[in-house]
Amino acid sequence: MLFDLRPKDSRSNLFDREAELGKVVEYVGRLGLPITLVLGFRRVGKSSLILVTLKELGLPSIYIDLRKFEERQYLSYRDFVLELQREVNNLVRRFPRLLDFLGNISGVSIMGDQVLLSWKSNDRVSLASLLDAVNDWASNGIVVVLDEAQELIKARGFNILPILAYAYDNLRNVRFIISGSKMGLLYRFLKVKDPESPLFGRAMGIVELVPFTREQVAEFLRCGFKELGIEFSDFDRLYERLGGIPGWLTYFGLKYYEYRDLDRALNETVNYATMLIRQEFENFLADKAIARDRYLTIMRIVSRECAGWGEIKNGLEVTLGMEISDSRISEYLRQLLDSAWIIKLNDKYCSAEPLIGMAFRA
């Protein structure tokens, strides 16, 4: 069903992403690229695309969803290892023979049919050795997904980049899909343009999902309501208010099905979306307490209408009643761009999508 709020896991429910799906399947499957990036705004459908890709490929997979750490200020080795342990055990339940390849790895204990991974400093599991074993087992290939991988920039006490580089160079059966909604932050984490980074110079497949166009929004809603046996025609109004993010359109579709009242469903969708966006922005501000008011002011400025660099600097200084250096302004804008709160269009900075603008105008 198109109006299912959960990530889709079948091609039939993945609306109008055939081209993107074909690219990911080709990169990961036929070409066997070591790393494929799946990029796009929040709720644009990255997780659905990845899940459908996994089903299409039919390969075993390890799926680490890092969204659960978005509210954390840092990510420990223990946090990461426990997520990995859960996914390895999911894999073992489907493929018990994998246990034969894991038993001799330092930091790995086998308890019956359960795998325990140690995070203790004196006996921590070697991620490289673990991937070695998985590579030896998966003769036809295995996919490791790091969903919202930019959260790994918060890692403390470990660095996964050398592991990714090691797997890239040596493990032909292991392919990574790395997704990110904070695209600038993801690239900053991967450091692909830094000569000192382990991943410098490594070629990667890149697939970007963009919001639906006005025409795609109309067709998505038409198809979704047809599944529910409902007539609907106010497509332009929906596009003007909600934009082209599939997650918001899906939420609206369910609410309209529930209420059969356009204004009520639309208002509830806007209220839900703006509340969620504000909470996500609070997560973004968690380690920026000193500059909190400055980030909020910038978002309010660009949410009224797109603004140039000078307009933002002037508006920020007038609001706060103090002079702010050019370098500070540039850093604030870089952080907002990297985390996909704003975008830059023709030398002006704008809210990344309509509901983000609405959240800061309210």
Side-chain angles (χ1 to χ4, degrees):
M1 187 176 76
L2 287 183
F3 294 160
D4 187 345
L5 291 174
R6 295 166 297 186
K8 311 299 189 293
D9 62 3
S10 68
R11 183 189 284 261
S12 62
N13 289 326
L14 190 68
F15 179 81
D16 210 294
R17 298 297 194 193
E18 287 294 323
E20 294 90 343
L21 176 62
K23 285 183 180 179
V24 183
V25 169
E26 180 180 25
Y27 292 158
V28 180
R30 188 174 71 83
L31 297 179
L33 294 184
I35 297 177
T36 298
L37 304 183
V38 176
L39 310 174
F41 291 140
R42 302 166 184 85
R43 288 168 284 271
V44 80
K46 298 183 301 300
S47 297
S48 293
L49 181 69
I50 293 170
L51 288 173
V52 175
T53 296
L54 296 178
K55 181 167 283 189
E56 292 286 308
L57 292 172
L59 296 174
S61 63
I62 293 173
Y63 196 116
I64 300 178
D65 189 346
L66 293 153
R67 288 175 297 179
K68 69 183 297 182
F69 301 110
E70 188 174 14
E71 298 182 10
R72 304 269 195 93
Q73 292 193 38
Y74 71 92
L75 173 63
S76 70
Y77 189 68
R78 176 182 182 275
D79 295 327
F80 184 79
V81 166
L82 287 179
E83 285 300 302
L84 179 59
Q85 176 180 286
R86 182 172 60 82
E87 286 302 310
V88 168
N89 279 306
N90 286 339
L91 196 61
V92 165
R93 277 190 284 274
R94 293 179 57 207
F95 305 101
R97 187 168 177 269
L98 177 57
L99 288 173
D100 297 337
F101 291 78
L102 300 177
N104 295 322
I105 300 173
S106 177
V108 175
S109 301
I110 308 297
M111 306 291 289
D113 59 354
Q114 291 288 304
V115 177
L116 299 178
L117 306 181
S118 174
W119 65 84
K120 296 180 180 179
S121 58
N122 62 341
D123 188 35
R124 62 165 50 183
V125 62
S126 164
L127 298 182
S129 297
L130 187 65
L131 287 176
D132 275 333
V134 170
N135 179 78
D136 292 342
W137 167 75
S139 57
N140 293 322
I142 183 171
V143 183
V144 179
V145 179
L146 300 176
D147 199 358
E148 297 295 353
Q150 71 276 342
E151 299 305 321
L152 286 167
I153 205 169
K154 304 173 184 176
R156 301 293 181 268
F158 73 105
N159 181 5
I160 201 171
L161 295 187
I163 308 302
L164 291 175
Y166 172 77
Y168 189 108
D169 293 340
N170 299 284
L171 306 182
R172 293 189 175 275
N173 297 328
V174 178
R175 298 96 187 253
F176 285 89
I177 296 178
I178 298 177
S179 83
S181 58
K182 304 170 186 177
M183 291 164 276
L185 196 61
L186 178 62
Y187 278 121
R188 204 195 314 168
F189 162 66
L190 294 173
K191 300 179 181 179
V192 291
K193 295 184 179 180
D194 181 351
E196 297 184 2
S197 169
L199 291 177
F200 177 70
R202 303 304 202 284
M204 302 177 186
I206 300 176
V207 177
E208 184 172 355
L209 276 70
V210 298
F212 291 154
T213 64
R214 184 185 297 269
E215 292 74 21
Q216 287 171 319
V217 166
E219 186 61 21
F220 174 77
L221 292 171
R222 189 179 292 113
C223 291
F225 285 125
K226 183 178 180 181
E227 289 181 338
L228 299 174
I230 298 175
E231 293 290 330
F232 186 84
S233 60
D234 289 314
F235 305 120
D236 286 341
R237 184 179 176 191
L238 260 293
Y239 182 76
E240 293 299 328
R241 290 292 301 278
L242 303 182
I245 300 294
W248 304 138
L249 298 169
T250 298
Y251 189 88
F252 167 81
L254 287 176
K255 289 301 170 183
Y256 186 79
Y257 176 70
E258 180 181 353
Y259 301 138
R260 311 299 172 95
D261 182 310
L262 176 60
D263 288 330
R264 185 179 178 188
L266 185 53
N267 289 336
E268 185 159 331
T269 301
V270 170
N271 290 338
Y272 168 75
T274 53
M275 178 184 68
L276 189 57
I277 287 167
R278 290 186 193 117
Q279 180 56 55
E280 290 172 345
F281 197 71
E282 287 297 321
N283 296 337
F284 166 78
L285 293 173
D287 61 347
K288 301 174 179 63
I290 295 176
R292 175 188 175 83
D293 290 343
R294 300 182 181 195
Y295 283 108
L296 285 168
T297 300
I298 291 173
M299 290 304 301
R300 289 171 184 142
I301 291 170
V302 301
S303 294
R304 291 194 295 269
E305 60 179 345
C306 296
W309 192 95
E311 296 172 282
I312 293 170
K313 177 177 170 64
N314 182 64
L316 188 57
E317 291 181 339
V318 168
T319 300
L320 299 179
M322 63 176 68
E323 186 175 353
I324 301 172
S325 70
D326 290 357
S327 61
R328 288 290 179 91
I329 298 289
S330 295
E331 175 60 17
Y332 300 148
L333 292 174
R334 184 178 75 90
Q335 293 279 357
L336 291 167
L337 285 166
D338 282 355
S339 294
W341 291 106
I342 62 176
I343 56 176
K344 192 174 183 181
L345 295 173
N346 300 321
D347 294 325
K348 291 205 176 264
Y349 298 90
C350 313
S351 300
E353 48 123 336
L355 284 171
I356 289 179
M358 198 173 298
F360 290 94
R361 288 196 300 272

